Amino acid sequence: MVPAPPEKRESAASALERQVWERVEQKDMQGALAACEQLNRQHPEFASGWHTASQLALKLNKPSIALKAIGKAIELEPDDTSWILQQALCLAKLGNMRALESQVDLLSTRPMKTAYQCSTLGMLLTQLGRREQALKFYERVAVLKPGDARNYYNIACLQRSLGAIEAAESNFDKTLGLNPTDYESYKVRSDLRKQTPENNHVESLELLLEEGIENKRGKAHVCYALAKELEDLGESERSFQYLKLGADTRRGLMQYHIDRDLETMSSIQETFSADLFERSIEGDSNAEAIFILGMPRTGTTLVERILSSHTDVFAAGELNNFAVQLMNLVRAHVSENKLPRDELVRLSAGIDFKTLGAAYIESTRPFTGHTPRFIDKLPLNYLYTGLIHLALPNAKVINLRRNPMDTCYAVYKQLFLDAYPFSYDLEELGKYYVAYHRLMEHWHAVLPGVIHTVDYETLVSDIEGESRRLLDFCDLDWQPQVLKYYESKEASTTASTTQVRQPVYKSSVGRWRDYERQLQPLIRILRDAGIGDE
């Protein structure tokens, strides 16, 4: 039998490939997989077919299979930029940051010809923390697709993180001009600066609500934007009305049971008792990590900026790495996929802590390792304080403490994307804070001298004295530029990104008192637990 000429074989392969994507559009993933398998079997020399197989595998959250498939496309056509870009996406999904960095370096030297290529490379650069480079690629996308609102949103978010606040506001305006239903942009835009009577968005935001917003998440974003702007304008009564409406709306979208979190914290205290820390447990000797933890909105970002202004310190961001590496080790010793939380806590006390410490440090590479110290500023690491000390006894642990009522009000008025589900109901927030407070008291009792506590109020009233104490605790020499942390060009992606670009201020101290009547459910819970508001 005479084989078909190459052009006919390619035509047949392309027809099969179209079938794959037709099935995807019809949401028939089984049919798409079957068609793709047929495509790759009948036309193994068709590189685009392996690219399609890789894309399908990523859609199905199977990055290892996706990486293998795109590798075959690259074997056939090693210089194709699209294949290399897809390989980089697979590496990012797998968390292989060393290989991703190398791949992105290669891609950065090549011309990105399409909007998809530019935006994908911009996204990967952002993941690697290379935001200034990422911004250039997103700006190129805006030239190629000037009518796409998401391009301006991406540009605005990067400009915000880099401190270009006026430019960011302009691009959020462009985003909303092209897509008035991008509700998240209303909230982020309101947070960029203090709103003034002459320059605010209150009227247009209220009109949006009056017209009706079917998207409940969108409604919450607009409510929080209004609460923020009205607080800036000194209208506390109206501000809280919108804040509660936004919080109630967001809470209504969640399936959350606070008792589970309370039970987990209680289980942690029981499992990690004083006698456990009296045993001879070997951890990893690495001394690079500085963990900054505590409740959110307590000044963790401010402390991070002060320390990272030191030449020996790198701010690695809010890393989830410790919890991930911990769960990897725990699950390696159990067969069940789903275990109760208290059982996971109990099992975590019996792992090899030296292995955990080494795995955590390795997981932070290649972002870390180029300075003597790096900062992991994930507030929720307070859950793992004892495990952190066992795994990395030479790491530094800094806990931020702030007036309980200021803390809780600041948490309540912050719309988090997918974190802190306890923050949208005052009673749940109060119960959670009490449990957090007791857990931190426990860590201080079983780990005397290990945790350095920074009081937010003391920090903002005596920034030099507190900064000197911070550097001493971290075994760092004094460098006066840490007091000018707000001049740092380093990116910030937290809720405090605009505040940390200003000199220290005290206006948020005692802010909760403007809402004392509305916060009574929270006040009662804290007072009943013996936690004052002084």
Side-chain angles (χ1 to χ4, degrees):
M1 184 175 179
V2 179
E7 60 273 13
K8 284 199 173 181
R9 290 202 302 273
E10 187 163 335
S11 176
S14 297
L16 269 175
E17 189 174 38
R18 284 194 296 274
Q19 286 182 30
V20 175
W21 293 112
E22 285 168 6
R23 301 282 195 283
V24 172
E25 287 179 13
Q26 295 162 6
K27 303 190 185 308
D28 176 15
M29 291 307 290
Q30 289 302 318
L33 286 169
C36 192
E37 185 180 345
Q38 181 185 357
L39 168 64
N40 297 144
R41 186 176 64 252
Q42 293 182 0
H43 304 278
E45 76 294 340
F46 185 57
S48 184
W50 294 110
H51 180 225
T52 292
S54 179
Q55 290 175 295
L56 276 185
L58 270 192
K59 279 181 176 290
L60 295 169
N61 198 28
K62 296 180 177 179
S64 296
I65 295 173
L67 184 63
K68 186 176 179 181
I70 198 61
K72 292 185 178 181
I74 292 172
E75 285 176 13
L76 292 163
E77 297 175 1
D79 291 327
D80 192 297
T81 298
S82 293
W83 309 163
I84 298 170
L85 195 60
Q86 175 68 13
Q87 190 176 53
L89 285 171
C90 296
L91 294 168
K93 189 71 174 177
L94 287 164
N96 188 340
M97 293 302 163
R98 287 185 186 274
L100 177 61
E101 186 103 44
S102 176
Q103 203 80 329
V104 165
D105 285 341
L106 172 62
L107 287 163
S108 298
T109 66
R110 294 178 169 229
M112 296 291 114
K113 297 178 181 178
T114 68
Y116 171 78
Q117 289 180 343
C118 289
S119 61
T120 303
L121 185 53
M123 180 266 291
L124 292 169
L125 284 162
T126 303
Q127 276 189 255
L128 291 170
R130 293 158 60 171
R131 291 179 177 81
E132 290 183 353
Q133 279 182 277
L135 180 57
K136 293 176 182 177
F137 283 100
Y138 279 122
E139 288 172 340
R140 174 67 177 150
V141 180
V143 172
L144 293 169
K145 295 182 71 175
D148 191 336
R150 292 304 289 182
N151 296 335
Y152 297 103
Y153 174 85
N154 290 331
I155 290 170
C157 287
L158 283 167
Q159 289 171 329
R160 170 180 174 267
S161 71
L162 292 167
I165 303 304
E166 289 185 15
E169 183 165 6
S170 174
N171 278 301
F172 278 124
D173 288 342
K174 288 180 183 177
T175 302
L176 292 166
L178 289 165
N179 180 14
T181 63
D182 188 339
Y183 300 108
E184 186 179 340
S185 290
Y186 292 108
K187 173 63 171 66
V188 184
R189 184 182 65 177
S190 294
D191 286 339
L192 286 174
R193 59 175 172 82
K194 184 170 183 178
Q195 307 295 315
T196 65
E198 301 77 27
N199 188 7
N200 64 77
H201 313 94
V202 170
E203 186 176 342
S204 60
L205 290 169
E206 287 189 320
L207 183 60
L208 266 176
L209 280 182
E210 288 170 14
E211 291 174 346
I213 300 173
E214 290 185 15
N215 182 309
K216 294 293 180 65
R217 272 183 174 262
K219 179 180 177 181
H221 279 291
V222 173
C223 287
Y224 275 83
L226 268 166
K228 158 54 167 80
E229 298 210 5
L230 286 165
E231 182 173 78
D232 285 350
L233 299 175
E235 297 190 40
S236 57
E237 190 74 28
R238 288 174 66 201
S239 171
F240 199 89
Q241 288 175 1
Y242 283 118
L243 177 57
K244 187 173 188 309
L245 177 59
D248 290 348
T249 301
R250 182 70 183 93
R251 182 65 182 88
L253 295 172
M254 303 167 66
Q255 290 188 329
Y256 170 68
H257 303 284
I258 190 169
D259 288 346
R260 293 178 185 172
D261 280 345
L262 304 185
E263 289 164 5
T264 297
M265 283 191 264
S266 178
S267 180
I268 289 170
Q269 291 181 56
E270 292 172 10
T271 303
F272 290 88
S273 57
D275 50 331
L276 175 66
F277 295 98
E278 291 168 2
R279 300 177 198 167
S280 180
I281 296 176
E282 185 181 5
D284 188 86
S285 61
N286 186 286
E288 294 176 38
I290 300 171
F291 291 88
I292 299 176
L293 47 84
M295 283 286 283
R297 315 300 292 143
T298 54
T300 55
T301 303
L302 174 57
V303 169
E304 176 193 47
R305 299 295 280 199
I306 290 169
L307 286 174
S308 65
S309 296
H310 194 286
T311 55
D312 287 346
V313 182
F314 168 70
E318 296 190 356
L319 306 180
N320 195 35
N321 300 47
F322 192 87
V324 169
Q325 297 305 318
L326 171 65
M327 285 299 101
N328 286 346
L329 283 176
V330 170
R331 293 190 185 282
H333 298 288
V334 296
S335 55
E336 298 91 337
N337 285 330
K338 290 189 177 180
L339 286 172
R341 283 192 191 179
D342 60 343
E343 180 65 11
L344 289 172
V345 171
R346 186 186 66 77
L347 289 169
S348 70
I351 62 170
D352 185 326
F353 285 99
K354 185 175 183 179
T355 299
L356 173 59
Y360 166 77
I361 294 295
E362 177 59 26
S363 76
T364 68
R365 307 298 198 226
F367 300 120
T368 66
H370 52 86
T371 55
R373 296 276 192 183
F374 72 87
I375 299 169
D376 181 340
K377 190 202 78 73
L378 185 68
L380 277 173
N381 273 331
Y382 63 75
L383 293 168
Y384 309 108
T385 302
L387 291 93
I388 287 169
H389 181 65
L390 291 171
L392 294 163
N394 295 319
K396 300 298 183 180
V397 180
I398 298 166
N399 174 51
L400 266 293
R401 186 169 59 193
R402 186 180 181 185
N403 171 282
M405 284 303 302
D406 271 335
T407 296
C408 290
Y409 172 62
V411 169
Y412 184 67
K413 71 174 183 174
Q414 180 63 44
L415 178 58
F416 301 99
L417 288 181
D418 293 300
Y420 311 115
F422 56 82
S423 66
Y424 301 105
D425 177 275
L426 289 175
E427 290 191 4
E428 289 177 334
L429 176 56
K431 290 175 182 177
Y432 191 95
Y433 185 88
V434 170
Y436 152 78
H437 179 80
R438 288 173 178 162
L439 180 57
M440 287 311 305
E441 285 187 324
H442 171 76
W443 290 136
H444 280 289
V446 298
L447 297 170
V450 169
I451 305 166
H452 178 73
T453 298
V454 176
D455 285 300
Y456 175 77
E457 292 78 11
T458 306
L459 178 63
V460 297
S461 64
D462 180 19
I463 189 165
E464 180 172 345
E466 282 301 297
S467 297
R468 287 184 179 276
R469 284 184 280 276
L470 267 170
L471 266 60
D472 283 345
F473 175 72
C474 294
D475 299 323
L476 295 166
D477 61 309
W478 174 250
Q479 292 183 358
Q481 76 268 14
V482 302
L483 299 179
K484 294 189 176 182
Y485 61 89
Y486 48 87
E487 294 180 354
S488 171
K489 302 300 182 185
E490 288 295 315
S492 174
T493 58
T494 70
S496 307
T497 187
T498 54
Q499 292 98 314
V500 295
R501 298 192 185 280
Q502 308 166 37
V504 70
Y505 56 89
K506 305 175 187 176
S507 57
S508 60
V509 175
R511 177 68 60 82
W512 71 273
R513 294 188 183 280
D514 293 340
Y515 306 93
E516 189 166 358
R517 177 179 60 81
Q518 296 95 328
L519 294 173
Q520 283 304 310
L522 172 65
I523 292 170
R524 282 194 295 272
I525 289 172
L526 296 188
R527 285 181 176 164
D528 287 348
I531 299 173
D533 53 38
E534 298 303 321

